[in-house]
Amino acid sequence: MRFSGLANFKLMLTDKVFRAAFLNTIFFTLLGTCVQMLMGLVMALLVLCIDRFRTIIRTVYFIPCVISSVAISQIFAQMLAVNPPGVVPAVGSLFGLAPHALLSDPHWALVLVTLIDAYKFAGIYMVIYYAALESVDAEVLEAALIDGCNWWQQLIYIRVPLIRAVLEVTLVMLVSGCLKGFDVSYVLTGGGPGSSSELVSTYLYKTIFISGNFGYGSAISIFLAVECLVTLLILRRLFGKGDKA
């Protein structure tokens, strides 16, 4: 073995595939975090507003979380398949839309991977948000109702501020999870077409286990670890400023 110094880290600066994977990871993290937080909160509010069959509905929302990512990815791959036509092209044909291989489209591949990954994990945050919303003191909500607050005003000015700490914790969980996202992208598209849905984690896997370039792969793994650490430190700093304010 020969010590290469910082050569592998310098290579990352000129590696177009790594650059694309890094930008894709940023997009994947931003969109995935927003979608999962929104889906989780919306589903939690729906469950909270439903009196009958609440337990059944909550269980149905949570089912994707206990199914393996490979199975979820294969199900959606079959639904989006063009030949033989899956559910999505079949429904589109009813409205006169021509079949389109969305997973093979560089403009749609990363978006679909992000949304499918969000669907897989949104149920976890639904349970967390539901528990937090349930813990809000009913007397506070009754007082707001007497003062003339409607349901939307209660949500914006009372419920959400009271579960702020939970939202901050889930934001950290989401960002760290998305930065390390791997399975859905690798199973659905393998990082393709081209590098349009390549993530840092999938490129790391290919570099080490397919190309056998352990030195460069180790450099990418260090970059991924530092990226996660720096991002979480920034979030912690932001939350700390908010607490002081």
Side-chain angles (χ1 to χ4, degrees):
M1 295 180 66
R2 180 175 56 85
F3 181 65
S4 59
L6 299 176
N8 287 315
F9 293 97
K10 292 179 181 178
L11 178 59
M12 284 193 293
L13 300 177
T14 57
D15 188 349
K16 293 182 179 180
V17 178
F18 175 79
R19 193 180 309 156
F22 174 70
L23 295 176
N24 290 341
T25 301
I26 298 299
F27 176 85
F28 180 84
T29 301
L30 292 176
L31 180 60
T33 298
C34 294
V35 171
Q36 288 184 62
M37 287 193 73
L38 183 60
M39 285 181 63
L41 189 58
V42 169
M43 290 191 297
L45 290 171
L46 289 175
V47 173
L48 195 66
C49 296
I50 295 173
D51 294 325
R52 300 183 61 184
F53 309 112
R54 178 178 295 180
T55 303
I56 297 175
I57 295 173
R58 190 167 64 232
T59 303
V60 171
Y61 284 162
F62 192 75
I63 285 176
C65 301
V66 298
I67 301 176
S68 71
S69 298
V70 175
I72 292 286
S73 301
Q74 290 295 339
I75 290 171
F76 275 97
Q78 295 300 319
M79 291 174 62
L80 294 167
V82 174
N83 188 22
V87 175
V88 174
V91 173
S93 64
L94 297 177
F95 297 93
L97 299 176
H100 184 62
L102 295 173
L103 291 176
S104 299
D105 188 335
H107 300 292
W108 282 100
L110 183 59
V111 175
L112 288 174
V113 166
T114 307
L115 295 179
I116 293 170
D117 185 81
Y119 165 78
K120 162 88 171 87
F121 295 103
I124 297 176
Y125 302 99
M126 179 271 295
V127 173
I128 296 174
Y129 294 149
Y130 173 75
L133 291 169
E134 275 279 84
S135 66
V136 175
D137 193 345
E139 294 182 357
V140 176
L141 298 176
E142 291 176 2
L145 185 63
I146 293 172
D147 289 338
C149 287
N150 56 34
W151 182 88
W152 181 253
Q153 290 172 327
Q154 288 182 15
L155 175 65
I156 298 299
Y157 298 109
I158 298 176
R159 290 184 185 270
V160 171
L162 287 177
I163 65 169
R164 177 190 164 189
V166 176
L167 294 174
E168 291 178 353
V169 171
T170 55
L171 178 60
V172 171
M173 293 170 59
L174 278 165
V175 171
S176 62
C178 289
L179 287 174
K180 298 177 291 186
F182 170 81
D183 41 11
V184 174
S185 174
Y186 191 79
V187 174
L188 275 177
T189 63
S195 302
S196 60
S197 62
E198 192 80 81
L199 303 178
V200 173
S201 56
T202 58
Y203 188 49
L204 165 64
Y205 176 84
K206 291 177 181 179
T207 301
I208 294 179
F209 295 103
I210 296 179
S211 300
N213 192 342
F214 293 96
Y216 189 39
S218 297
I220 296 175
S221 66
I222 292 174
F223 172 85
L224 182 59
V226 172
E227 178 188 32
C228 293
L229 180 61
V230 170
T231 304
L232 296 180
L233 287 175
I234 292 173
L235 289 175
R236 183 179 178 183
R237 195 72 177 269
L238 291 175
F239 295 154
K241 289 183 178 180
D243 292 336
K244 291 178 183 179

